[in-house]
C-alpha cells in the first residue's frame, strides 16, 4: 500500500495494525467527493479486500466535517465521481467485502450520508448531522440513500426524512438505532478506531463471511435462507482459522490468523 502523506493529497491512508484508515482530505470543500477522490477511494477499497494483513477499515473526514456529498464544482466541469462497477465515491454500489466503519464528525449530507450508509457501522459525534436534502434541489438520493435508509431505520421515519429533506441530528439518528456508537464531539475517530481494532482481533474470513450473510440475506427466499447461508459459512467451518480458533481457546492464548 502506498502511504499518502502530503497535505495536497485528497485521500490520506494509514495502516494501524490490521486496520486501514482512510481520511477524506478536502477540508476546504467540506470533503466533497471529486472524481480524483472517488478514484483513490476505489483503489483503497480494492486493496483492503486484497490484502491478507488488513481486516477492516475506518473512513473519516478531515477538518471537522465527514462529507458534504458530491463536488458540485467538479460536476459543473463535467466530472462525475462515479467509478464503473463501484458507483459514487468508489463505494456505494459495491462496498468492500471486509467491514467498513464510518466515523462521522460534523455534516454527512447527500452523498456523504450515502457513504456512511454504505458502511457497515457508523460512529458519530453527538454534534453530527445527517441528511438527504436532494429533493430540495430537484434531485433524488440515488447513491444508495433511497435503497438503504429504510433498512437501517424505521420505514416511516426514513420516508419522512427523504421526502422532506430535513436534517437528522445524531442524537435522533441514534434513537432510531442507526449508530453503533454516539460519542462527544472530537472523540469520534478514536472511538471508531477502538471498534475497528476489536473487530480486527477476530478471524478475518469469519468476519467477512458474517458481513456477507447479514448484508445479502434480506433478499433470499425464506425457504432458501439456510441453504444460501450454508454455502457461505461452510468453507469457514473447515478453514485453518477455525481450527486455530479452537486450538487457541483450548491453549488459553491469542489466535494467530492465517486467512486460510
Amino acid at each position: 500500500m502506498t502511504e499518502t502523506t502530503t497535505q495536497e493529497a485528497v485521500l490520506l491512508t494509514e495502516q494501524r495494525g490490521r486496520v486501514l484508515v482512510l481520511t477524506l482530505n478536502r477540508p476546504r470543500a467540506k470533503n466533497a467527493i471529486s472524481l480524483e477522490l472517488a478514484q483513490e477511494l476505489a483503489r483503497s477499497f480494492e486493496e483492503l479486500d486484497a490484502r491478507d494483513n488488513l481486516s477492516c477499515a475506518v473512513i473519516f473526514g478531515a477538518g471537522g466535517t465527514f462529507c458534504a456529498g458530491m463536488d458540485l464544482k467538479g460536476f459543473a466541469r463535467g466530472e462525475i465521481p462515479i467509478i464503473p462497477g463501484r458507483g459514487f465515491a468508489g463505494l456505494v454500489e459495491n462496498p468492500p467485502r471486509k467491514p467498513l466503519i464510518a466515523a462521522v464528525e460534523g455534516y454527512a449530507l447527500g452523498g456523504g450520508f450515502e457513504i456512511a450508509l454504505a458502511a457497515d457501522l457508523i460512529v458519530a459525534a453527538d454534534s453530527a448531522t445527517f441528511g438527504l436534502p436532494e429533493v430540495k434541489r430537484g434531485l433524488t438520493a440515488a447513491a444508495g440513500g433511497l435503497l438503504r435508509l429504510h433498512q437501517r431505520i424505521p420505514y416511516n421515519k426514513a420516508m419522512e426524512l427523504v421526502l422532506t429533506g430535513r436534517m437528522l441530528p445524531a442524537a435522533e439518528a441514534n434513537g432510531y438505532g442507526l449508530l453503533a456508537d454516539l460519542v462527544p464531539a472530537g472523540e469520534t475517530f478514536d472511538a471508531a478506531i477502538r471498534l475497528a481494532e476489536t473487530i480486527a482481533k477476530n478471524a478475518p474470513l469469519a468476519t467477512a463471511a458474517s458481513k456477507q450473510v447479514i448484508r445479502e440475506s434480506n433478499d433470499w427466499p425464506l425457504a432458501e435462507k439456510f441453504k444460501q447461508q450454508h454455502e457461505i459459512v461452510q468453507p469457514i467451518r473447515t478453514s485453518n482459522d477455525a481450527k486455530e480458533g479452537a486450538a487457541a481457546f483450548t491453549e488459553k492464548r491469542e489466535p494467530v490468523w492465517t486467512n486460510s
Side-chain angles (χ1 to χ4, degrees):
M1 178 175 60
T2 301
E3 291 288 334
T4 306
T5 57
T6 64
Q7 289 301 304
E8 292 74 21
V10 297
L11 181 69
L12 305 179
T13 66
E14 177 188 1
Q15 183 174 349
R16 296 192 178 199
R18 299 187 63 87
V19 178
L20 176 63
V21 180
L22 303 173
T23 302
L24 309 177
N25 193 43
R26 304 187 70 226
R28 286 179 292 183
K30 303 298 183 185
N31 297 318
I33 304 298
S34 63
L35 177 58
E36 180 186 7
L37 180 50
Q39 292 168 336
E40 290 296 317
L41 284 167
R43 281 191 283 267
S44 294
F45 291 132
E46 289 170 3
E47 195 158 7
L48 169 66
D49 280 342
R51 288 182 53 180
D52 287 344
N53 63 342
L54 292 172
S55 291
C56 61
V58 170
I59 185 168
F60 184 69
T65 294
F66 181 68
C67 177
M70 182 173 65
D71 181 7
L72 296 180
K73 291 182 179 179
F75 180 75
R77 295 192 300 268
E79 296 180 0
I80 302 176
I82 294 176
I83 306 303
R86 301 199 74 99
F88 175 76
L91 169 67
V92 300
E93 292 182 20
N94 187 13
R97 179 174 53 85
K98 297 175 183 177
L100 174 64
I101 300 169
V104 179
E105 292 269 356
Y107 289 99
L109 301 179
F113 191 9
E114 290 171 309
I115 290 171
L117 289 171
D120 303 293
L121 297 167
I122 303 173
V123 176
D126 53 14
S127 58
T129 302
F130 301 88
L132 296 174
E134 283 84 352
V135 293
K136 293 185 175 184
R137 302 167 188 163
L139 299 171
T140 59
L146 301 180
L147 300 174
R148 291 191 170 104
L149 185 59
H150 69 281
Q151 295 180 337
R152 304 285 285 273
I153 68 175
Y155 174 90
N156 285 336
K157 185 52 57 178
M159 188 68 79
E160 182 253 322
L161 289 166
V162 167
L163 296 185
T164 65
R166 77 168 176 88
M167 298 296 98
L168 174 65
E172 184 181 351
N174 191 49
Y176 301 139
L178 180 64
L179 308 182
D181 200 2
L182 181 70
V183 299
E187 298 181 17
T188 306
F189 180 80
D190 290 340
I193 292 295
R194 288 194 298 270
L195 179 57
E197 289 174 342
T198 300
I199 293 171
K201 290 179 181 178
N202 299 322
L205 292 177
T207 56
S210 297
K211 167 181 172 170
Q212 183 180 355
V213 171
I214 292 174
R215 283 275 191 168
E216 296 178 5
S217 57
N218 279 342
D219 298 326
W220 295 346
L222 181 61
E224 295 291 318
K225 283 185 182 290
F226 277 92
K227 177 179 181 296
Q228 294 197 43
Q229 175 183 255
H230 178 80
E231 293 173 358
I232 295 170
V233 303
Q234 181 57 27
I236 308 303
R237 292 174 180 159
T238 58
S239 68
N240 290 326
D241 277 353
K243 297 173 185 175
E244 168 63 9
F249 177 80
T250 301
E251 297 164 14
K252 296 181 172 57
R253 59 173 174 82
E254 291 296 317
V256 179
W257 310 120
T258 60
N259 266 297
S260 63

